[in-house]
Amino acid sequence: MKGTWVIFRRECASLFWTPLGWLLLVAAVLLNGLLYWAQLNQTGGNVTASLSAAMGWGIVFWMVMIFLPPLLAMRLLAEESRTGTLEYLLTAPVSDAAVIVGKFLAATTFMAVLWSSVLLYGLQLQWLGSPPDWAALLCAYLGAILVSGLFVSLSLLASSLTQAPLLAAFLAIIGCTGWLLLPMLMQSALAQLRDILAQWVGGWDRAEAWIQSGIRSIDVAMHFQQSFLPGVLDSAELVFFLTWSGLFLFLTIRSLEARRWRV
Amino acid sequence: MSVSAPHAMIEVEHLYRRYGQVLAVEDLTFRLEKGEVVGFLGPNGAGKTTTMRILAGYLPASKATRLSVAGFDVLRQSIEVRRRIGYLPESVPLYRELRVREMLRFHGRLHGMDRASLAKAIPRVLDRVGVLDRREQLVGNLSRGLRQRVGLAVALLPNPDVLILDEPTSGLDPLQRKEVRSLIGALAQDHTVLLSSHILAEIELICPRVIILDRGKLLADGTQRQLLHQLAGDQRIRLEAMCGSDVEAARRSLAALPGVASVVVGERVGIHQAFELRGEGDLREDVGALAMQKGWALRELSLTRATLEEVFSKLVLGELGTAASPALAPAPPAAQSAAQSGAQSAPTNLLQLALPDAKVPSDPGSKPGGAIYSLNPFDRGASRDLSKPVPRDPEPPSDPEGCDQ
């Protein structure tokens, strides 16, 4: 675990010391800030709605979630593999898992720094005399970090599959988008087909319940929006995010290991 | 299996590594004792890097009966092994965005060194490789040679028992090479060093012991002297004399000298005729006496000792003549069988491969003894062939670095 800490520190340093990190940060914060400001204007100063738009409901939030982790993760494995430093890391006296987890934590920390801008909006509201619901805001912040972690781990997996950083980012963006939109698409497909299927398939109700639970078990947006956003800290939701992230990290470690055989 | 002596630092027995259909390393067996400096020699694709990567724990072996470093199993105790290895890959992977000092500190931390020992060790290793004044510079801004040295410093920092250096001198200018060579020589005192190179002159200078690989197989393993003695066999005498027009008669009288195994008639330069004699011991006295007796005016009478390059090209190009192959019995205890089988199978299948015709004489006997100087104005004055030692510094004329960036 000491190795994880060392890797984590180095990755954080390099994320915050390269122009790419700051560019991404500025772009994301700017867009999200604009959205927040527009929302604040549109709703005539509805603080809660604006904050939740900035953190969880707004399109910018999910766009950032889809695009940033892939861009961060492409540097973490694919580029290191291309420049050869991965060989250096994987022959250092730390386990593969320590390397991956260190990188994962660093990228997630970057995302946490990014979303902490929304906490600043909260502080500003407090200062202006209309304190937000801090518990809900902090809970949403925690949720945003967990969602980021999930997408970072998914992107790391994509990054471990190839040596070309751009391809890794592309794969990861597709993966994240798919992961986010698939439940929605499946729901609408289900809605279209429900009547037809109900006629033809016996015991459709049970089958549908089964499919629905399957969809729910990958539905990131729903898990985030229904639990963290209103300020409910549910351990089941924690488990949902941690399990998926853990699974992707595990697959990433395996994929690195497999690459040693293939290389 | 051989009993592992307490001092064995690297033990490899029957190592195989497969990349898909390609067998990159095949039945490789060798061992390094503590404090040895051993050179891995082989053409590109011989399996040097693969073997080093396997030892460093980057690649798994496909099969091996024993694979250990400093007494730890490479597969099962990988972390322990990695703690004891300083591995410098050929590409010298360093983080470009870090400063030299930071890169070293990061490496030290990965090795679990604490702040105090790092503060002492970092200036020490930087000083040792001669980049102490560059410690605040970004790694990415360093020249290739300096980066190579920083890579060496990184490998040296945790004071590992074993150093595995993949082409440590590639990409360096002759002066830097010389420095790195002397550095590695100095390291030998307290580290076991396994280094690879395809520059023969280099290995010849640094490594007392040489392991020659080709296409994943071990061709020879032994000290340079052993290899030269066993593989190059006889001494070679070069004679240039004014022996009149009857060259054949001169050749016959030379061949009649005791101890002479063969006489090759070389080129004729003006009035001088060149010969190359092979045989046991130093034949110069006898040849000189013969020349006096016959009244030949001598221009050159010299003894040429075989070089590693010759041995190497013999082994790898499959030039191993029938005369030399009975003598082939690699000396070190661990590697006899593997080397022998490897070396004997090599000539048949390698001869046709990849090499320009000029380098593979169809009949070794008809090859002139190496034209180092020619009066032919269209010959640009000089040429060099494989039977001559490589000029050591500066760079060998056939630049082996074409493929390195």
Side-chain angles (χ1 to χ4, degrees):
Chain A
M1 279 304 100
K2 213 176 163 206
T4 307
W5 175 240
V6 178
I7 305 266
F8 168 73
R9 278 183 52 174
R10 199 206 77 76
E11 290 299 343
C12 278
S14 81
L15 275 175
F16 286 107
W17 283 356
T18 50
L20 177 70
W22 288 103
L23 283 178
L24 295 177
L25 209 59
V26 165
V29 171
L30 190 70
L31 282 176
N32 209 26
L34 278 176
L35 179 89
Y36 166 72
W37 175 75
Q39 195 74 18
L40 212 53
N41 276 340
Q42 213 169 32
T43 58
N46 185 339
V47 170
T48 317
S50 305
L51 279 177
S52 70
M55 184 98 91
W57 281 113
I59 182 111
V60 174
F61 177 87
W62 292 106
M63 291 295 270
V64 168
M65 281 297 188
I66 285 172
F67 284 104
L68 259 194
L71 290 177
L72 295 176
M74 76 177 185
R75 292 185 58 253
L76 296 179
L77 289 174
E79 189 165 311
E80 288 225 18
S81 159
R82 196 175 51 109
T83 58
T85 42
L86 199 62
E87 179 172 359
Y88 163 78
L89 270 189
L90 297 183
T91 52
V94 286
S95 62
D96 292 7
V99 172
I100 298 295
V101 172
K103 285 174 179 292
F104 163 75
L105 288 179
T108 309
T109 305
F110 185 87
M111 296 299 287
V113 170
L114 178 94
W115 295 126
S116 69
S117 62
V118 179
L119 296 183
L120 286 182
Y121 305 160
L123 274 180
Q124 169 224 22
L125 290 174
Q126 175 104 28
W127 183 60
L128 290 175
S130 54
D133 182 354
W134 276 108
L137 189 58
L138 286 173
C139 193
Y141 180 55
L142 175 69
I145 295 175
L146 288 172
V147 176
S148 309
L150 177 57
F151 283 133
V152 166
S153 61
L154 186 60
S155 306
L156 270 177
L157 177 61
S159 186
S160 75
L161 296 176
T162 166
Q163 287 205 0
L166 274 179
L167 181 61
F170 189 64
L171 275 179
I173 289 171
I174 290 180
C176 291
T177 315
W179 195 257
L180 191 64
L181 296 186
L182 198 61
M184 262 181 252
L185 294 178
M186 281 166 70
Q187 286 289 8
S188 64
L190 208 59
Q192 297 284 326
L193 298 174
R194 181 175 289 127
D195 294 338
I196 307 166
L197 285 172
Q199 286 175 2
W200 292 94
V201 182
W204 168 245
D205 291 345
R206 275 184 57 203
E208 192 189 347
W210 198 72
I211 293 173
Q212 288 284 4
S213 82
I215 295 175
R216 266 200 304 281
S217 65
I218 62 166
D219 194 342
V220 176
M222 183 205 75
H223 277 268
F224 174 63
Q225 287 168 343
Q226 292 191 354
S227 167
F228 290 99
L229 218 49
V232 182
L233 194 56
D234 185 349
S235 59
E237 302 297 331
L238 282 176
V239 169
F240 169 83
F241 283 106
L242 296 181
T243 314
W244 278 118
S245 305
L247 177 72
F248 287 132
L249 288 183
F250 175 76
L251 289 177
T252 309
I253 296 166
R254 290 284 133 183
S255 139
L256 272 194
E257 204 174 299
R259 204 155 76 178
R260 292 176 177 216
W261 285 100
R262 270 187 283 124
V263 169
Chain B
M1 301 302 101
S2 64
V3 187
S4 69
H7 292 304
M9 266 308 182
I10 296 182
E11 284 178 280
V12 174
E13 277 176 21
H14 305 293
L15 170 66
Y16 290 80
R17 167 73 206 202
R18 196 179 272 288
Y19 294 120
Q21 291 296 311
V22 184
L23 208 50
V25 175
E26 191 176 347
D27 199 15
L28 184 61
T29 299
F30 63 88
R31 57 188 278 148
L32 262 65
E33 307 297 327
K34 196 171 163 62
E36 269 193 298
V37 178
V38 176
F40 251 166
L41 200 53
N44 294 329
K48 297 171 296 199
T49 300
T50 303
T51 310
M52 290 180 149
R53 282 181 162 174
I54 290 171
L55 284 172
Y58 181 58
L59 293 179
S62 296
K63 195 168 90 184
T65 49
R66 187 175 173 80
L67 201 59
S68 75
V69 172
F72 293 96
D73 188 279
V74 171
L75 195 64
R76 295 202 177 79
Q77 297 158 299
S78 179
I79 300 290
E80 291 298 320
V81 167
R82 294 186 209 174
R83 271 188 218 291
R84 285 161 180 79
I85 281 187
Y87 171 51
L88 180 61
E90 187 188 354
S91 56
V92 195
L94 301 170
Y95 288 106
R96 302 176 66 88
E97 71 269 23
L98 295 186
R99 292 174 197 288
V100 171
R101 178 176 47 80
E102 290 161 351
M103 180 69 221
L104 284 162
R105 188 186 297 154
F106 173 59
H107 187 69
R109 290 235 173 88
L110 282 178
H111 275 261
M113 295 170 77
D114 59 31
R115 191 179 287 265
S117 54
L118 276 175
K120 256 187 284 177
I122 289 178
R124 187 169 49 82
V125 291
L126 283 180
D127 191 35
R128 192 158 190 190
V129 299
V131 288
L132 190 55
D133 51 334
R134 309 280 182 152
R135 71 194 133 167
E136 295 299 330
Q137 230 167 314
L138 286 178
V139 171
N141 293 346
L142 295 176
S143 71
R144 167 83 213 211
L146 287 172
R147 223 171 335 132
Q148 190 87 33
R149 292 199 219 180
V150 173
L152 259 180
V154 166
L156 281 174
L157 181 69
N159 203 16
D161 296 332
V162 179
L163 276 173
I164 296 184
L165 311 174
D166 197 355
E167 312 250 354
T169 54
S170 78
L172 303 190
D173 66 42
L175 213 62
Q176 291 169 328
R177 271 186 198 185
K178 209 166 163 183
E179 284 170 19
V180 168
R181 276 205 299 270
S182 63
L183 177 65
I184 292 171
L187 293 177
Q189 287 161 6
D190 26 46
H191 306 273
T192 306
V193 184
L194 177 63
L195 66 92
S196 79
S197 178
H198 46 223
I199 307 170
L200 289 129
E202 205 120 287
I203 295 260
E204 220 162 11
L205 289 176
I206 308 174
C207 310
R209 189 178 143 203
V210 179
I211 293 175
I212 298 181
L213 295 180
D214 183 47
R215 305 224 258 141
K217 288 186 194 143
L218 190 133
L219 290 191
D221 176 1
T223 63
Q224 287 196 27
R225 286 190 55 168
Q226 283 170 331
L227 291 185
L228 292 179
H229 185 70
Q230 288 165 359
L231 297 170
D234 309 332
Q235 309 272 25
R236 255 189 1 235
I237 305 278
R238 181 174 164 83
L239 169 72
E240 274 184 45
M242 212 166 74
C243 60
S245 56
D246 192 356
V247 177
E248 183 52 29
R251 193 195 70 78
R252 269 201 305 277
S253 49
L254 281 171
L257 284 174
V260 173
S262 70
V263 178
V264 176
V265 179
E267 79 279 27
R268 191 169 183 104
V269 183
I271 49 171
H272 291 95
Q273 174 64 43
F275 296 94
E276 194 183 79
L277 288 79
R278 284 168 187 269
E280 278 171 42
D282 193 343
L283 295 165
R284 281 177 296 184
E285 276 182 37
D286 293 354
V287 174
L290 180 75
M292 276 207 5
Q293 185 197 330
K294 300 267 184 187
W296 300 339
L298 288 186
R299 193 166 75 157
E300 180 179 349
L301 176 57
S302 58
L303 174 71
T304 315
R305 288 194 174 79
T307 60
L308 197 56
E309 181 173 7
E310 238 174 339
V311 171
F312 177 69
S313 56
K314 269 189 176 175
L315 282 171
V316 173
L317 308 190
E319 278 181 20
L320 211 57
T322 43
S325 64
L328 183 83
Q336 280 149 357
S337 60
Q340 203 145 19
S341 62
Q344 279 168 355
S345 62
T348 47
N349 52 14
L350 284 176
L351 201 56
Q352 301 90 337
L353 257 193
L355 292 143
D357 293 334
K359 290 192 175 176
V360 189
S362 51
D363 172 16
S366 70
K367 175 110 179 154
I372 54 165
Y373 190 68
S374 152
L375 293 181
N376 181 351
F378 301 108
D379 208 17
R380 287 199 190 162
S383 57
R384 203 184 74 76
D385 75 348
L386 279 174
S387 62
K388 286 289 165 200
V390 195
R392 281 169 187 172
D393 277 325
E395 299 239 9
S398 55
D399 184 16
E401 236 109 301
C403 54
D404 304 323
Q405 286 85 13

